[in-house]
Amino acid sequence: MQFSDLYTKVRSQQNLATAQKAVAKINSEENWAKSLDADALKDAFQRLRDLDEKARIVKGFALVREAASRALGLRHFDVQLIGGLTLLQGKLAEMKTGEGKTLTITAPAAVLALSGRGVHVVTANSYLAQRDAELMRPVYEALGLTVAFVHSDQSVQEKQAAYLADVTYGVGSEFGFDYLKDNLAVHAERQVQRGLFAAIVDEVDSILIDEARVPLIISDQATDMSEVVTLLDTCVRGLTPEAHFTVDMKERTAQLTEAGYLAVEGALVAAGVIKEGKELYEGALLPWARRLHSAVRAYALYRKDRDYVVSGGEVVLVDPGTGRAMEGRRLDDGLHEALEAREGVAIRQGTVVKATVTYQNFFGLYERLGGLTGTALTEAEEFSDIYQLETVVIPTNRPVARQQLEDLVFLTKAEKFSAVVQEARRRSQAGQPVLIGCGSIRDALVLDRMLASHGVAHETLTAKHIEREAHIIAMAGKPGAVTVATNMAGRGTDILLGGEKPTRGDCDSDEAYAQALAEWEKAREVVRKAGGLFVLGTERNGIRRVDNQLAGRSGRQGDPGVVQFYLSLEDELLQVFGRSRQLTLVRKLIEASGSALGGQTVGRLIVQAQKGVENQGYSARKSLMQYDKVLSDQRIAVYALRQALLQGGAQEQLRLSILAAIDSWLDEHFPEDALPEQLPAADLKRELSEVFGLTLPLLGWVNKDDATVQSVASKVREAALARLDEVLPDEDASRVYLLDVLGQLWTEHLGALDELKGNVGLKSKNGLNPMYQFSKDAFELFKEFERETNLLLAMNLLNTGRRDENDAAKAVLANKRSAEQAVALELEKRWVRRNDACPCGSGKRFKECHGKLA
Ligand code: ADP
Ligand code: MG
């Protein structure tokens, strides 16, 4: 027991006590709610808009419960109301699997919708979003509310309609991408969302923790580096572990050894990329060095069918926590390109980011945020740290009767799997349904084959066809059923003992229905007697929460159930112990006893390993969030400006921007303390023409007797203003032009920030605080971005009608702006040669000290 867990428990108790008082009040409104006919109920609910929040909640919850009783025949349990109240307080409700989270959401969603501002209900996948929206539609409609489902196949109009509904269901990425796209739009009519008011996130751990490792990115094509990546891939393929590179599994990094570096260098010299004696770490070749690092990491750390799969000619990431394919997500730092090179699929190289946001910062934009999940407690600290979401444990409707058997450890995976098959067969023959949980698709397929060859009838789910699998898993509770599934498969689908409950619609007649029901009841009894659903985990995940998810599939709503995990010393989780004494001891014990080992030693070892993995994931997500926070502040500023421009005032803003560009140019070129004859008038004249499209008699002005620097500057300014008035477009054109240029430079700015991030990573090696350095530099870049936006706006516009000169001028600017080059030059200035003494003063050579390839 840790203090943080204790804290959560105490707070949960307090929360429960207050919530129970509120529930008593809601219950006392039940007779009133029951007395209303359908129209009156709708009316009463709509009239709650005039009440204060407290009264709204009490009466609102009573009406929602009544609406659900009538429309679905489901009356919210008290614990569901408590869950709903918790969500309204902006907290995170831990409600176990099968407690009815879908129904729980309706009460807070309906009450929040009374504000008229649109509530987003976020689910773990698209199938669940549609299912839940449809299942709960009758409840919302009975209250006079509209409900919709938003998904990626919709047109802009369809999406707009979906977002206009009172309650909108969808997946997290859809809401996030729509937000980003809305902020790339140049016309207000193309925007689909109407602000981010309230979000209720179901399976909140899946979205805010599992998926939070990879930010949402909208990208575009850029310069092609595929040849470089392919060449580097061939260079690293020949490398051998230990001799050429070392791997740190804990930190998920890989480093070339000196021999490894020399080998790669040799290959590159042979390929003519670098000259003999030149090093990759010099100036212009730095982009190569970064990509080499990616190639090494990809080669050393990423495995096909575990970390990613190749499907449809693409490298698709697999979530290690859940085994689910993460369509459309890409690793950053060039890792994804390196994997594409390895697999010989098309390299989607050099995309530029047009817009990006992490889940952490996106959901932080909502005014009201609440979440639910079956398993939050193990990550309570992270939820509170990163999202400021307090975790509250909601009691179950009925006591949990699930039995947890102790873990068994086998020597090898092979022994483990054959024990799994034996156990599944034994239990299934006794009528007990068995759900076998697998850590990866590959394991699921291995077990699939083994079960088949032992003649055990079974189903295998790999989260590939979410909808079809939802129906299969609903049947996993039938007597003797054996179901093999990856962690994510069928998440959100109920496993009822005895299988899916028959409905009248499935049957031809009332008699047939009655008979089907009777058979179902009989099956339930068989399964109950056999001990309920048996969940067999075939490995412990690095994250305890994922194991708890799997375990939670049995023993729902007070049902009987059993859970057990089978492990082997070859499991990845146990690899973090390397060849430690603890593991050697376990091995000896197993060998001595000649059978699998259970007991406390094993249990402790596993929890220790899991905590290590969890902490590591936590720090990775936290640092991603900190970096993104810096970006987030800038993004909010830029998006606020965009939003304002869509509403109007674009012409005025354009004018101001151009004025700012002119003034800043004048400040720079006409220093107050200079004498007119000191000005490089000829150069200035040329620049004025190139940059601002102004042909002015500058030499004449400067040489006038009474000329001062100020008087010349103000003449230039006047001329520029006159030109500006000539060419300033109307409001509509101004808006499109402004947003377009802003978008272009924002994209470049994101690229520059990204380079900066990589650069800061290098610097942290020399003992500087990387976060501090990063936010400082990022702010400088932001100011630069603003200045350049103004300048480009001025250049393009004032040069209107002067095409060729305009292009030349653009080229000048583009040169100045190439972020990659700038970073490379900067590094070159500071860079210490690999054979130099390390600046830290250790006396070692740089390449053996702080300059080790990382
Ligand atoms: P969770 O998401 O918490 O795992 P679900 O929302 O899928 O649970 O609901 C599980 C099952 O419980 C569903 O079959 C649902 O119809 C049922 N259920 C939910 N709430 C109630 C209720 N108040 N009364 C009866 N059955 C309910
Ligand atoms: Mg659910």
Side-chain angles (χ1 to χ4, degrees):
M1 175 68 55
Q2 290 179 332
F3 278 122
S4 54
D5 293 351
L6 210 54
Y7 174 82
T8 307
K9 294 221 161 121
V10 171
R11 293 281 302 166
S12 299
Q13 286 299 325
Q14 292 169 345
N15 182 73
L16 190 61
T18 349
Q20 265 156 351
K21 280 188 207 140
V23 169
K25 283 196 199 133
I26 296 166
N27 288 340
S28 72
E29 297 284 353
E30 189 154 2
N31 284 334
W32 163 70
K34 279 195 187 316
S35 73
L36 305 169
D37 67 18
D39 286 338
L41 190 145
K42 221 178 252 184
D43 206 45
F45 189 75
Q46 293 299 323
R47 269 189 285 120
L48 297 179
R49 292 180 197 271
D50 309 328
L51 301 186
D52 64 62
E53 171 122 4
K54 252 193 179 146
R56 253 191 211 184
I57 295 173
V58 171
K59 292 200 168 346
F61 272 44
L63 291 171
V64 175
R65 181 191 251 175
E66 182 57 24
S69 301
R70 290 184 197 176
L72 305 176
L74 301 177
R75 177 180 175 275
H76 287 69
F77 301 127
D78 283 359
V79 288
Q80 288 176 313
L81 296 183
I82 294 174
L85 291 166
T86 308
L87 292 173
L88 279 183
Q89 289 164 359
K91 293 181 186 165
L92 201 155
E94 181 182 274
M95 296 177 72
K96 302 276 177 300
T97 313
E99 287 297 302
K101 289 185 277 293
T102 307
L103 186 65
T104 298
I105 291 171
T106 53
V111 167
L112 285 166
L114 285 171
S115 69
R117 295 179 57 199
V119 177
H120 297 171
V121 177
V122 186
T123 62
N125 63 51
S126 197
Y127 162 74
L128 290 175
Q130 183 169 23
R131 184 198 74 177
D132 289 358
E134 287 317 319
L135 276 176
M136 297 300 132
R137 176 183 299 282
V139 183
Y140 293 114
E141 288 182 346
L143 297 165
L145 297 173
T146 53
V147 59
F149 158 52
V150 70
H151 59 92
S152 53
D153 293 336
Q154 286 169 323
S155 68
V156 168
Q157 284 78 12
E158 287 166 331
K159 281 202 162 169
Q160 285 169 336
Y163 280 116
L164 270 178
D166 291 308
V167 182
T168 308
Y169 283 74
V171 294
S173 56
E174 200 62 33
F175 291 115
F177 277 129
D178 282 342
Y179 164 74
L180 292 177
K181 282 186 212 150
D182 274 2
N183 281 296
L184 292 171
V186 178
H187 299 281
E189 310 84 70
R190 302 287 302 171
Q191 295 188 307
V192 296
Q193 292 182 341
R194 46 174 181 143
L196 301 174
F197 164 57
I200 298 177
V201 186
D202 191 10
E203 310 271 8
V204 63
D205 53 334
S206 136
I207 293 164
L208 297 193
I209 294 188
D210 297 335
E211 306 220 10
R213 299 174 319 136
V214 189
L216 297 168
I217 294 173
I218 293 183
S219 53
D220 216 353
Q221 294 303 315
T223 12
D224 189 5
M225 287 281 281
S226 44
E227 278 178 28
V228 175
V229 178
T230 311
L231 180 60
L232 288 174
D233 177 62
T234 49
C235 290
V236 299
R237 267 166 197 262
L239 302 181
T240 39
E242 304 290 334
H244 289 133
F245 60 87
T246 56
V247 176
D248 184 338
M249 282 306 265
K250 252 190 181 158
E251 299 283 329
R252 284 195 77 72
T253 56
Q255 297 197 329
L256 281 179
T257 60
E258 186 61 23
Y261 182 78
L262 289 175
V264 172
E265 205 176 42
L268 289 176
V269 170
V273 173
I274 45 177
K275 292 207 187 73
E276 197 78 64
K278 279 266 174 194
E279 300 207 29
L280 265 185
Y281 279 74
E282 285 170 24
L285 283 172
L286 262 179
W288 280 74
R290 298 250 323 267
R291 289 193 165 80
L292 171 61
H293 182 205
S294 312
V296 173
R297 276 181 67 200
Y299 179 70
L301 297 169
Y302 287 82
R303 292 282 164 272
K304 190 170 160 181
D305 291 330
R306 181 188 71 190
D307 304 301
Y308 65 92
V309 290
V310 178
S311 110
E314 284 183 39
V315 170
V316 181
L317 296 181
V318 170
D319 187 314
T322 61
R324 193 167 59 119
M326 303 199 289
E327 278 322 319
R329 299 297 196 70
R330 293 179 68 80
L331 291 165
D332 56 7
D333 294 337
L335 274 172
H336 216 97
E337 289 81 5
L339 292 177
E340 286 165 338
R342 183 206 291 176
E343 298 302 335
V345 301
I347 299 177
R348 285 208 280 139
Q349 172 63 36
T351 51
V352 288
V353 175
K354 295 189 75 167
T356 172
V357 69
T358 57
Y359 278 104
Q360 289 97 320
N361 281 315
F362 172 66
F363 283 103
L365 295 172
Y366 282 90
E367 282 171 45
R368 314 271 307 246
L369 177 65
L372 321 84
T373 171
T375 46
L377 202 53
T378 48
E379 263 82 2
E381 199 179 331
E382 173 159 355
F383 281 120
S384 106
D385 241 33
I386 298 189
Y387 296 99
Q388 278 79 50
L389 279 173
E390 186 183 334
T391 301
V392 173
V393 180
I394 311 292
T396 51
N397 186 41
R398 298 209 181 115
V400 179
R402 187 175 53 236
Q403 196 192 353
Q404 174 97 41
L405 302 181
E406 80 184 3
D407 292 7
L408 286 184
V409 185
F410 297 81
L411 276 184
T412 63
K413 266 193 173 178
E415 287 168 58
K416 173 178 77 174
F417 281 150
S418 72
V420 167
V421 171
Q422 297 311 325
E423 183 68 0
R425 177 157 63 182
R426 191 178 71 78
R427 298 229 177 211
S428 150
Q429 277 169 355
Q432 187 169 25
V434 180
L435 177 68
I436 303 176
C438 295
S440 67
I441 300 173
R442 173 181 289 188
D443 282 359
L445 296 179
V446 168
L447 272 164
D448 178 68
R449 274 199 303 277
M450 288 179 69
L451 286 165
S453 71
H454 284 77
V456 181
H458 66 281
E459 294 277 359
T460 301
L461 316 176
T462 53
K464 262 194 187 146
H465 309 282
I466 291 176
E467 181 158 1
R468 186 147 54 81
E469 295 185 356
H471 295 298
I472 300 179
I473 201 138
M475 301 308 286
K478 283 207 306 195
V482 175
T483 313
V484 180
T486 54
N487 286 316
M488 200 60 197
R491 190 170 182 176
T493 304
D494 225 8
I495 303 182
L496 291 183
L497 299 190
E500 222 166 353
K501 191 175 176 179
T503 59
R504 177 62 185 84
D506 297 337
C507 306
D508 294 334
S509 63
D510 283 344
E511 295 83 70
Y513 178 49
Q515 194 184 343
L517 266 186
E519 271 167 30
W520 179 69
E521 285 295 348
K522 223 165 69 199
R524 278 172 81 73
E525 213 27 56
V526 171
V527 172
R528 273 212 192 91
K529 284 228 176 75
L533 179 66
F534 179 66
V535 168
L536 208 178
T538 59
E539 75 180 285
R540 283 277 183 183
N541 192 279
I543 304 160
R544 283 172 294 166
R545 183 171 41 85
V546 175
D547 292 343
N548 294 342
Q549 280 281 345
L550 179 64
R553 309 228 58 160
S554 97
R556 316 163 37 270
Q557 288 283 342
D559 284 344
V562 192
V563 178
Q564 188 165 29
F565 285 88
Y566 280 22
L567 324 177
S568 87
L569 293 182
E570 291 174 351
D571 289 359
E572 189 170 354
L573 178 65
L574 296 176
Q575 299 308 309
V576 298
F577 293 109
R579 296 192 196 93
S580 74
R581 217 180 308 150
Q582 292 149 297
L583 217 57
T584 315
L585 176 69
V586 173
R587 181 185 303 278
K588 288 221 173 96
L589 286 172
I590 300 177
E591 279 165 356
S593 73
S595 69
L597 184 73
Q600 285 194 350
T601 323
V602 171
R604 269 200 298 269
L605 209 58
I606 288 156
V607 171
Q608 188 188 337
Q610 289 179 316
K611 285 197 172 150
V613 175
E614 284 169 11
N615 285 340
Q616 185 189 316
Y618 178 31
S619 357
R621 287 187 294 271
K622 187 153 182 168
S623 104
L624 173 66
M625 203 227 13
Q626 284 175 334
Y627 279 113
D628 189 58
K629 180 78 183 81
V630 172
L631 169 59
S632 172
D633 295 342
Q634 301 184 1
R635 179 173 48 226
I636 288 171
V638 171
Y639 283 5
L641 174 63
R642 287 193 69 100
Q643 202 54 39
L645 290 172
L646 287 174
Q647 309 308 322
Q651 199 183 32
E652 186 51 28
Q653 179 61 52
L654 181 55
R655 204 187 148 78
L656 289 175
S657 295
I658 292 176
L659 273 180
I662 294 168
D663 285 339
S664 124
W665 188 88
L666 288 171
D667 280 348
E668 193 182 326
H669 294 91
F670 289 75
E672 270 178 40
D673 48 3
L675 295 170
E677 55 270 29
Q678 291 174 319
L679 295 173
D683 289 349
L684 291 179
K685 182 181 162 74
R686 205 191 55 249
E687 207 170 317
L688 271 174
S689 158
E690 273 176 10
V691 179
F692 296 123
L694 294 172
T695 320
L696 301 176
L698 201 65
L699 295 169
W701 290 348
V702 168
N703 290 328
K704 262 185 83 180
D705 283 347
D706 57 351
T708 62
V709 168
Q710 285 79 1
S711 73
V712 178
S714 60
K715 274 188 187 149
V716 173
R717 194 168 191 273
E718 268 167 40
L721 283 185
R723 170 98 185 124
L724 177 57
D725 286 336
E726 258 169 52
V727 293
L728 193 66
D730 66 11
E731 173 67 21
D732 254 14
S734 292
R735 187 189 62 243
V736 173
Y737 173 54
L738 244 174
L739 290 181
D740 186 45
V741 170
L742 191 61
Q744 273 176 38
L745 290 192
W746 176 245
T747 300
E748 284 187 25
H749 177 62
L750 290 176
L753 279 180
D754 206 45
E755 291 278 345
L756 184 66
K757 201 165 105 184
N759 188 8
V760 165
L762 295 172
K763 266 195 265 177
S764 71
K765 297 247 146 59
N766 299 327
L768 287 164
N769 176 346
M771 241 350 271
Y772 170 73
Q773 190 65 39
F774 178 72
S775 51
K776 217 170 118 228
D777 294 352
F779 187 62
E780 287 305 313
L781 277 180
F782 190 60
K783 286 197 287 194
E784 180 80 348
F785 153 70
E786 187 180 4
R787 222 178 48 75
E788 282 174 359
T789 306
N790 291 339
L791 187 59
L792 192 66
L793 284 169
M795 280 174 58
N796 282 354
L797 194 66
L798 297 180
N799 276 296
T800 312
R802 298 168 47 117
R803 271 289 127 222
D804 29 2
E805 284 176 53
N806 180 18
D807 287 348
K810 259 198 211 160
V812 173
L813 191 76
N815 240 337
K816 267 203 270 177
R817 252 198 339 257
S818 162
E820 193 160 54
Q821 207 175 337
V823 172
L825 285 176
E826 182 61 19
L827 273 172
E828 193 175 41
K829 262 190 271 161
R830 274 187 253 170
W831 202 258
V832 187
R833 300 291 151 122
R834 291 172 47 76
N835 285 322
D836 292 349
C838 187
C840 75
S842 64
K844 286 192 216 163
R845 289 201 284 180
F846 178 62
K847 66 182 177 191
E848 288 151 357
C849 191
H850 285 84
K852 257 202 177 149
L853 292 175

